[in-house]
Amino acid sequence: MVITFPPMGNVSLAARAFFEAVQIPYVSPQKANKQMLQAGAALSPDEICLPFKVFMGSFADSIKAGADTVLLTGSCGPCRFGEYCELQPKLLKKNGFNAEMLVIDAPKAIGRKELCRRIRSILETSPVSGASKFKAFRQALHILSLADGLNEKAREAAGYEKNRGESKRLLEACFKQLDSVRLPDDMQAILLRYHEKIDFIRKDINKKPIRIALIGEIYSMIEPFANLFIEDLLMEYGIVSKRLITPSWWIKDLAEKPFGVHSAQIMKAAKPHLPYNAGGHAKESLGFAQLCKNDGFDGAIQIYPLGCMPEIVAKAVLPSVQKEHGFPVLTLIIDEMTGEAGYLTRIEAFIDMLAEKRKREARTA
Ligand code: SF4
């Protein structure tokens, strides 16, 4: 068994750490990029959403590189993600890419027994002991949380740094080093070292940077290519950005879901506007936007792939949140045709508008 998995931001890093530690052969996906998307789009139905196309391009590359098993997580409600594991193996096979697809789905969907069987079918190919597997799993989670935490710290520091661009440079240097190592211990050491470096960035705490919340579809949140690297762009402008949805948050949310205590505050904030489950993370988008407004954020940017059903529902409801709370929201919809120039212009215009709004409010205060 040679496993591969889709490119999903920091998740890919944690997966690499895990498979390395348990000595299961794997093909690490390349970083998501334009060529991958175009190749994936050529294998996919036109109307399907962008993550499907990126995944297809990545799976095709990894199968060519020797992978024979594709690992995918299951759906999170009524959206197209549930169709991925049905459609993708058929389309891959039809186009000459032979691989088995192993879906790690929620026990609710496939039953606890079947879930255990699927996990066992992967783990039994590892030569290491059960205790080592458990340690590897915990370490992979730790690496994931360190990487997500570093991102968050750097995005916050970008608004206050004295040397413009320092936090972005550090973040890039860290991920470049992570790409060059294989051992989980090395990954962990690099991340810890860069956490310290970001902590010691020289800051001007009197600055009052514009603060923007990022909301939207999960893949657009966790995979930088799927949002056209918006966080990096905002860092260049000295803007603080924050997003709720990170892989670490998603795992915690998943673990808490069966007990009904997941994202309680966010769900409460979203409920008056969207009392029903629209799939994906539509409720989280609405609830997080409101909480960020209360937390002093200037506005939010909602990002989702063209045709994303849950976020279309969220977009329809967001105007009422904007109106009720006076909280500006810009919506960006991404597909393989999205041009960077137009995207950039809209973000710049939104930032100018937020800065003007601040000035206006200061004058009238
Ligand atoms: S959340 Fe949206 S983009 Fe993501 S899989 Fe579902 S429909 Fe597609």
Side-chain angles (χ1 to χ4, degrees):
M1 178 187 276
V2 181
I3 287 187
T4 192
F5 38 89
M8 292 175 80
N10 293 338
V11 179
S12 311
L13 185 71
R16 207 151 57 83
F18 177 74
F19 289 119
E20 200 61 47
V22 297
Q23 299 171 34
I24 292 178
Y26 68 98
V27 174
S28 180
Q30 289 174 36
K31 286 204 168 12
N33 59 60
K34 239 186 176 129
Q35 288 78 0
M36 184 185 279
L37 171 60
Q38 276 160 2
L43 301 170
S44 310
D46 281 347
E47 65 284 1
I48 201 88
C49 44
L50 180 133
F52 188 101
K53 295 173 184 171
V54 177
F55 286 14
M56 284 296 281
S58 172
F59 296 157
D61 282 346
S62 298
I63 294 167
K64 273 190 231 156
D68 58 18
T69 307
V70 173
L71 200 59
L72 198 63
T73 57
S75 167
C76 53
C79 89
R80 289 197 188 99
F81 198 69
E83 292 171 22
Y84 282 27
C85 56
E86 303 290 333
L87 265 177
Q88 287 183 328
K90 288 188 188 122
L91 290 170
L92 284 169
K93 199 163 180 193
K94 190 174 150 206
N95 288 283
F97 298 99
N98 286 317
E100 193 195 334
M101 189 157 285
L102 213 51
V103 185
I104 303 300
D105 214 331
K108 200 169 72 184
I110 55 171
R112 207 174 290 270
K113 228 171 154 187
E114 175 60 15
L115 177 64
C116 293
R117 190 197 64 77
R118 291 184 191 181
I119 294 174
R120 234 186 357 257
S121 73
I122 305 168
L123 293 181
E124 65 194 12
T125 64
S126 160
V128 307
S129 68
S132 303
K133 284 171 197 157
F134 183 64
K135 185 177 165 239
F137 181 66
R138 285 191 56 183
Q139 191 172 25
L141 285 185
H142 188 219
I143 286 170
L144 185 62
S145 134
L146 282 174
D148 286 344
L150 187 75
N151 261 312
E152 192 177 338
K153 248 188 213 177
R155 311 298 181 199
E156 174 76 25
Y160 300 91
E161 61 196 9
K162 281 194 171 164
N163 300 324
R164 177 65 74 89
E166 194 178 355
S167 29
K168 184 168 175 266
R169 275 194 298 279
L170 283 175
L171 204 56
E172 283 169 356
C174 177
F175 280 91
K176 201 166 168 201
Q177 281 190 33
L178 287 169
D179 284 344
S180 67
V181 296
R182 292 185 74 95
L183 295 178
D185 286 349
D186 293 340
M187 292 182 186
Q188 213 166 303
I190 291 171
L191 283 161
L192 288 169
R193 200 164 58 244
Y194 276 90
H195 263 272
E196 258 183 49
K197 288 188 187 216
I198 299 260
D199 285 341
F200 283 104
I201 280 180
R202 283 169 29 130
K203 295 189 191 113
D204 176 355
I205 52 161
N206 294 317
K207 276 190 180 177
K208 302 249 178 306
I210 299 269
R211 302 175 74 81
I212 295 181
L214 297 175
I215 56 174
E217 189 265 340
I218 186 164
Y219 193 63
S220 313
M221 292 291 105
I222 65 176
E223 170 50 55
F225 170 73
N227 58 47
L228 303 185
F229 304 93
I230 192 166
E231 288 171 307
D232 291 349
L233 185 72
L234 295 175
M235 282 177 110
E236 281 166 22
Y237 290 126
I239 284 169
V240 170
S241 65
K242 184 173 175 164
R243 63 186 152 99
L244 166 76
I245 298 182
T246 63
S248 314
W249 171 86
W250 178 70
I251 289 172
K252 185 171 173 279
D253 191 65
L254 219 56
E256 290 176 352
K257 234 172 211 165
F259 308 102
V261 292
H262 66 295
S263 310
Q265 253 190 314
I266 290 170
M267 293 299 157
K268 196 174 162 205
K271 202 171 176 188
H273 299 279
L274 186 62
Y276 308 107
N277 179 17
H281 294 87
K283 278 188 150 183
E284 284 81 351
S285 289
L286 292 166
F288 188 59
Q290 288 175 73
L291 295 186
C292 282
K293 159 72 188 162
N294 300 342
D295 219 11
F297 276 70
D298 295 275
I301 299 182
Q302 183 202 22
I303 309 170
Y304 64 87
L306 183 71
C308 170
M309 300 174 305
E311 289 301 323
I312 290 173
V313 175
K315 184 182 184 305
V317 182
L318 273 167
S320 69
V321 177
Q322 288 188 58
K323 212 167 157 191
E324 192 176 305
H325 300 275
F327 190 55
V329 180
L330 169 70
T331 294
L332 298 170
I333 304 170
I334 315 261
D335 72 353
E336 64 268 35
M337 309 301 280
T338 304
E340 274 163 41
Y343 187 74
L344 204 71
T345 312
R346 295 190 63 202
I347 294 170
E348 281 173 351
F350 184 64
I351 295 169
D352 287 346
M353 188 272 283
L354 294 181
E356 277 307 314
K357 181 172 178 281
R358 252 202 200 183
K359 280 187 206 155
R360 227 178 21 250
E361 283 170 358
R363 276 198 301 269
T364 52

